[in-house]
Amino acid sequence: MKHVAVIGAGTMGNGIAHTFAQSGFKVNLIDISDASLKRGMDTIAKNLDRMVAKEKITEADKAETLANITTFTTTEDGVKNVGLVVEAATENVDLKLKIFKQLSDVCPEETILATNTSSISITQIAAVTNRPDKVIGMHFMNPVPIMKLVEIIRGYNTTDEVTNTIMELSKTLGKVPVEVNDYPGFVANRILMPMINESIETLYNGVAGVNEIDTVMKLGMAHPMGPLQLADFIGLDVCLSILEVMYNGFKNPKYAPCPLLVNMVRAGKLGVKSGEGFYDYSENRKAENVSKQFS
């Protein structure tokens, strides 16, 4: 179990790889292109540089962490001889089912298969594998190296042994694992996403503006950032995907995505990653947005 693979070098994947590598694990980071892997490794290096600047780690710690990570563009090569695979691909059910079917075919039979999904059924994912007893959810929070929580979600067939192994493993990463049951959205997003969606509805209905809504939640409810800014940070496409999973899973209209959210995603206004969402993240507005974030 000291050798793990992480699938996906995006925001969550590189954060998970960073966290395991900094804790002394050997990590195989897998993505479909060298360009994606380079972006992921560059992000890890920059985040480590920030930690060095804050004197949380040394230059030697940084070098050791980076040395613990090896990159691969093929899944079959990247999952050889690993005790755990953590999938952190896009929150798309068809893609995840395809990945887990492949993992089931190429991983050693004792390998535990974990998914970082924030909403999709672990039982559904496990059903396409030849080892449903060894499939589990490890929902890390963003930014992974900083946030302590990991939601541990066991599927219908996940064994106690696998659950306990992943709970203890999470603790070795310096995380606080919390076991939850396998229902759409689990706990974090079942509570968070309706709040974000209602904030968007509040804007859509003209009750208040973006800054006003976020200020009320920051100053009145002691949230570190407002729900609309948080939605931008998560990615509006991700928020929409999670709400759709919950709406389809529960068939409850309270989870139906706000039309404004749907239209913004259609228009490519995805938040920080696209340069514009509820806030403007273009180069000439970055300083303004940073000051708003910490005000």
Side-chain angles (χ1 to χ4, degrees):
M1 195 60 73
K2 294 297 289 182
H3 198 166
V4 305
V6 177
I7 296 181
T11 300
M12 295 304 296
N14 69 60
I16 293 168
H18 172 164
T19 300
F20 272 101
Q22 193 174 334
S23 297
F25 289 79
K26 297 296 183 182
V27 181
N28 293 351
L29 181 59
I30 305 166
D31 210 309
I32 59 175
S33 72
D34 289 324
S36 297
L37 289 166
K38 184 180 185 305
R39 284 194 298 270
M41 291 301 297
D42 287 346
T43 298
I44 294 171
K46 289 176 183 177
N47 289 336
L48 289 168
D49 284 337
R50 290 191 188 98
M51 297 177 77
V52 171
K54 294 179 181 179
E55 298 184 346
K56 292 184 176 181
I57 62 172
T58 65
E59 283 287 353
D61 294 328
K62 172 192 169 183
E64 183 177 354
T65 298
L66 291 173
N68 281 338
I69 304 173
T70 306
T71 59
F72 293 84
T73 54
T74 58
T75 300
E76 186 169 1
D77 291 335
V79 300
K80 289 179 180 177
N81 303 317
V82 300
L84 170 69
V85 179
V86 182
E87 171 272 321
T90 304
E91 192 73 350
N92 176 286
V93 64
D94 293 332
L95 175 61
K96 289 186 186 293
L97 295 180
K98 179 180 178 180
I99 289 171
F100 272 80
K101 178 65 172 66
Q102 181 185 15
L103 290 175
S104 177
D105 292 338
V106 301
C107 287
E109 65 179 43
E110 67 275 9
T111 301
I112 296 173
L113 306 180
T115 172
N116 183 57
T117 181
S118 59
S119 61
I120 298 169
S121 168
I122 307 305
T123 302
Q124 181 182 8
I125 292 172
V128 303
T129 75
N130 58 14
R131 65 192 81 188
D133 57 317
K134 292 185 174 68
V135 178
I136 194 165
M138 288 185 79
H139 179 207
F140 291 86
M141 304 294 127
N142 185 29
V144 180
I146 296 172
M147 300 293 278
K148 290 292 187 182
L149 175 66
V150 184
E151 277 188 307
I152 305 298
I153 311 102
R154 60 189 300 166
Y156 188 84
N157 292 300
T158 309
T159 64
D160 290 341
E161 180 183 2
V162 167
T163 302
N164 293 335
T165 296
I166 297 303
M167 292 284 284
E168 292 304 312
L169 177 67
S170 299
K171 293 175 185 177
T172 68
L173 300 175
K175 303 302 184 186
V176 178
V178 177
E179 184 180 343
V180 305
N181 290 322
D182 187 20
Y183 291 97
F186 315 131
V187 171
N189 281 323
R190 185 168 180 171
I191 295 170
L192 175 63
M193 286 302 152
M195 183 190 73
I196 287 176
N197 198 44
E198 191 63 28
S199 302
I200 300 171
E201 286 278 3
T202 303
L203 177 67
Y204 180 59
N205 292 329
V207 178
V210 172
N211 286 322
E212 289 75 14
I213 292 168
D214 278 354
T215 298
V216 166
M217 297 304 290
K218 286 192 291 183
L219 300 186
M221 284 68 186
H223 291 194
M225 68 171 66
L228 299 176
Q229 185 182 19
L230 179 57
D232 276 355
F233 184 69
I234 293 169
L236 301 191
D237 54 335
V238 176
C239 293
L240 177 59
S241 176
I242 294 169
L243 284 164
E244 288 175 336
V245 167
M246 294 169 65
Y247 180 63
N248 292 331
F250 290 115
K251 300 297 189 289
N252 189 322
K254 74 178 181 180
Y255 300 116
C258 175
L260 175 58
L261 174 62
V262 174
N263 278 342
M264 290 181 71
V265 172
R266 286 174 177 167
K269 311 297 185 184
L270 308 181
V272 175
K273 61 186 171 186
S274 71
E276 184 180 353
F278 293 106
Y279 292 88
D280 184 348
Y281 300 92
S282 56
E283 287 296 328
N284 62 337
R285 296 294 294 276
K286 280 185 177 179
E288 180 182 341
N289 284 308
V290 167
S291 66
K292 286 177 181 175
Q293 179 177 349
F294 293 102
S295 61

